[in-house]
Amino acid sequence: MHTSISPLLEKYSFPKELLTLIESYGSIIYRKSNEQFFYDVNTYENTLFVIKGSFNLYLQNEEKKVLLYQLFSDQMCIANHVNLFNNYIIDFYSIALEDSILLSVPSNKMMEWSSQFKELRHLIITSHQHHYNAMLGVIQSFTEESLENRLHSYLKLKSVQKKANELAMPHQEIASDLNCSREAVTRSLKKLEVKGYIERKTRSVVLTPIIEQAS
Amino acid sequence: MLSNFMLNSNSELLGLVKKKGIEKYYGPGDVIISKGDIKYQTAFILEGLVKITLGKENNSLLLYHLNAENNSIISFMNIYNNTPIQIAVTTIKQSRLLWVSNTDVLNMALLYPDLKKMIVDSYYYNHEQLVLITKNIISKSLDNRIFDYLMTKSSLYNSQKITISRLEMASDLHVSKEAISRSLKKLETQGKIKRSKNLIHLTQF
């Protein structure tokens, strides 16, 4: 049964002609919370847009995956940021943070339509900008911030994503996401506790509510 | 991978773009864009070489290079908004840039598919370079990062011998001068480079 795509795209205010084209050529992909996907050769024939929900984007680094940043649906971000002309493959990896929906459109059609519809051009360029600036942020944090600060930012982000102040996460998972050792995570958590930012319990970490949430 | 955004090689298109733009000359070491600038233009490098860095006072990490021969478009992807630019652009060699307003670039890209392709390619190239440097930072030792850096400089200058100060290397790699000295000594012991004063000779080209 063909799912009607247009109702899912209401919030983006696309012109009717564009919606008709998307209905004809596009398809919907559902991702459940925690579902993972790699970007491989097949991923590049279609451009994927996040239209509902959110994803974590990781860079595959040897055996590990390193957390980069998030993709959200508010700006219909492109999920598989890919060079449509050169097919340069970037070894990314995504995990859905919640039940999410992706719109899949053949990449060549997308390029064609972008000449016709300024809304699509706007979307593509804004998506590029988002990916670029997000990568700059990642580079800055890797080269500047202490592990402690990166860990604190990471915990705050997780807390928002899971909508909870208490996080039960194995130290190894945190270490993998932050590209450091488990021992370093344990040490840094101790430091954050001493500073009063968190409270450590047997199997979890509690973020102490800080007024900075208001910023 | 074929990077094909050389405006220089498409003389008809170059002529059209030149009509809409203004050419400016820069000496080596000129700061073209500082972090925080707002610019509604795109620059095409007609001659020369520039480096893109994080551009912060305490962190000017080298991200990548752009030059007239290969990747010659300096674009900020801010065609639809006016967000401040998050990087700094500095010339390394004497350079000649063609500045065109974003509005004109957008209109021409709609008319000329080759230009559109060049611009989109440049977006991907920029992003790809950021991913590469991120991978380097997370997976390579400082020694290897420095060696990669020297190899990049060597191919940009087309020379096995490079003159570069420890200060500039420390800034580009965002590490201390001492760390640079230690790593260079190590690379020399490994036979990968030979040093004399400020000159570094790459033994494997």
Side-chain angles (χ1 to χ4, degrees), chain A residues 19 23 38 54 88:
Chain A
L19 285 172
E23 283 277 7
F38 285 95
S54 55
Y88 177 80

Side-chain angles (χ1 to χ4, degrees), chain B residues 54-116:
Chain B
L54 278 181
K56 294 170 74 172
E57 233 179 82
N58 58 354
N59 186 354
S60 198
L61 183 78
L62 171 68
L63 299 170
Y64 50 95
H65 298 89
L66 293 173
N67 61 8
E69 294 76 25
N70 279 317
N71 309 299
S72 59
I73 304 181
I74 309 178
S75 65
F76 306 106
M77 294 162 287
N78 59 349
I79 292 186
Y80 294 108
N81 56 37
N82 55 358
T83 45
I85 296 167
Q86 298 302 311
I87 51 170
V89 183
T90 313
T91 55
I92 294 181
K93 289 183 186 166
Q94 199 148 6
S95 303
R96 183 165 60 103
L97 268 53
L98 177 68
W99 289 96
V100 185
S101 79
N102 282 343
T103 317
D104 285 335
V105 169
L106 185 59
N107 290 337
M108 285 192 288
L110 289 172
L111 287 172
Y112 308 111
D114 280 350
L115 184 62
K116 176 178 171 180

Side-chain angles (χ1 to χ4, degrees), chain A:
Chain A
M1 192 183 86
H2 179 81
T3 319
S4 179
I5 302 177
S6 300
L8 295 166
L9 300 176
E10 249 177 69
K11 61 178 171 174
Y12 304 112
S13 310
F14 286 151
K16 203 149 180 279
E17 290 161 57
L18 179 56
L19 285 172
T20 311
L21 286 168
I22 293 175
E23 283 277 7
S24 308
Y25 292 97
S27 57
I28 296 290
I29 301 176
Y30 293 94
R31 294 275 176 217
K32 292 213 135 303
S33 178
N34 286 326
E35 207 176 318
Q36 311 173 344
F37 61 99
F38 285 95
Y39 295 175
D40 58 23
V41 195
N42 295 322
T43 319
Y44 299 100
E45 286 167 0
N46 295 304
T47 302
L48 304 174
F49 297 90
V50 182
I51 56 178
K52 188 167 188 289
S54 55
F55 294 83
N56 264 353
L57 186 67
Y58 298 84
L59 188 61
Q60 194 69 22
N61 176 38
E62 281 146 30
E63 303 297 308
K64 300 182 287 180
K65 56 173 181 38
V66 178
L67 178 62
L68 297 178
Y69 48 91
Q70 283 71 41
L71 303 172
F72 299 106
S73 67
D74 53 353
Q75 283 173 337
M76 205 163 137
C77 201
I78 295 179
N80 59 339
H81 190 76
V82 55
N83 188 336
L84 302 165
F85 296 111
N86 291 347
N87 287 324
Y88 177 80
I89 293 176
I90 296 176
D91 31 1
F92 287 141
Y93 174 100
S94 267
I95 299 183
L97 291 167
E98 51 188 301
D99 286 352
S100 303
I101 304 179
L102 294 164
L103 168 68
S104 173
V105 172
S107 300
N108 54 357
K109 286 291 171 196
M110 233 242 330
M111 268 293 116
E112 208 182 286
W113 303 338
S114 71
S115 296
Q116 252 184 291
F117 301 100
K118 69 175 195 300
E119 291 83 0
L120 199 53
R121 281 198 294 278
H122 186 125
L123 200 133
I124 293 170
I125 293 178
T126 311
S127 181
H128 275 285
Q129 206 181 28
H130 173 74
H131 282 284
Y132 187 83
N133 286 331
M135 277 311 293
L136 281 181
V138 167
I139 293 170
Q140 258 173 227
S141 105
F142 281 5
T143 54
E144 278 176 44
E145 284 183 12
S146 63
L147 180 59
E148 216 179 294
N149 286 340
R150 285 179 56 214
L151 178 59
H152 195 197
S153 303
Y154 173 88
L155 291 172
K156 283 192 277 190
L157 197 68
K158 282 286 175 194
S159 158
V160 166
Q161 284 166 4
K162 299 196 175 179
K163 300 185 172 63
N165 260 354
E166 180 156 352
L167 304 166
M169 292 179 67
H171 292 194
Q172 186 50 61
E173 184 184 335
I174 301 177
S176 177
D177 277 354
L178 293 176
N179 193 50
C180 63
S181 67
R182 191 194 48 75
E183 295 79 11
V185 169
T186 310
R187 279 196 303 268
S188 296
L189 284 171
K190 255 189 224 157
K191 286 189 197 165
L192 288 175
E193 190 176 39
V194 163
K195 289 190 179 171
Y197 292 131
I198 62 169
E199 199 189 300
R200 290 184 310 153
K201 293 167 127 179
T202 317
R203 288 183 198 290
S204 61
V205 160
V206 181
L207 278 156
T208 54
I210 297 175
I211 323 293
E212 66 188 329
Q213 316 276 18
S215 70

Side-chain angles (χ1 to χ4, degrees), chain B residues 126-169:
Chain B
N126 292 348
H127 178 259
E128 175 191 302
Q129 292 300 303
L130 292 189
V131 175
L132 282 173
I133 195 168
T134 304
K135 279 172 123 170
N136 275 357
I137 290 168
I138 47 186
S139 63
K140 289 194 177 170
S141 65
L142 181 59
D143 300 340
N144 284 335
R145 280 182 58 207
I146 289 181
F147 188 63
D148 278 357
Y149 170 89
L150 293 172
M151 291 289 274
T152 304
K153 289 287 184 188
S154 167
S155 82
L156 284 171
Y157 294 125
N158 213 12
S159 162
Q160 262 182 305
K161 299 198 172 113
I162 325 165
T163 306
I164 192 160
S165 71
R166 238 133 287 220
L167 192 62
E168 189 180 344
M169 286 181 71

Side-chain angles (χ1 to χ4, degrees), chain B residues 180-196:
Chain B
I180 299 280
S181 293
R182 280 196 300 268
S183 285
L184 286 177
K185 240 183 234 161
K186 217 169 166 191
L187 289 173
E188 198 169 27
T189 316
Q190 292 170 349
K192 290 183 175 168
I193 63 171
K194 280 204 188 89
R195 295 184 300 161
S196 49

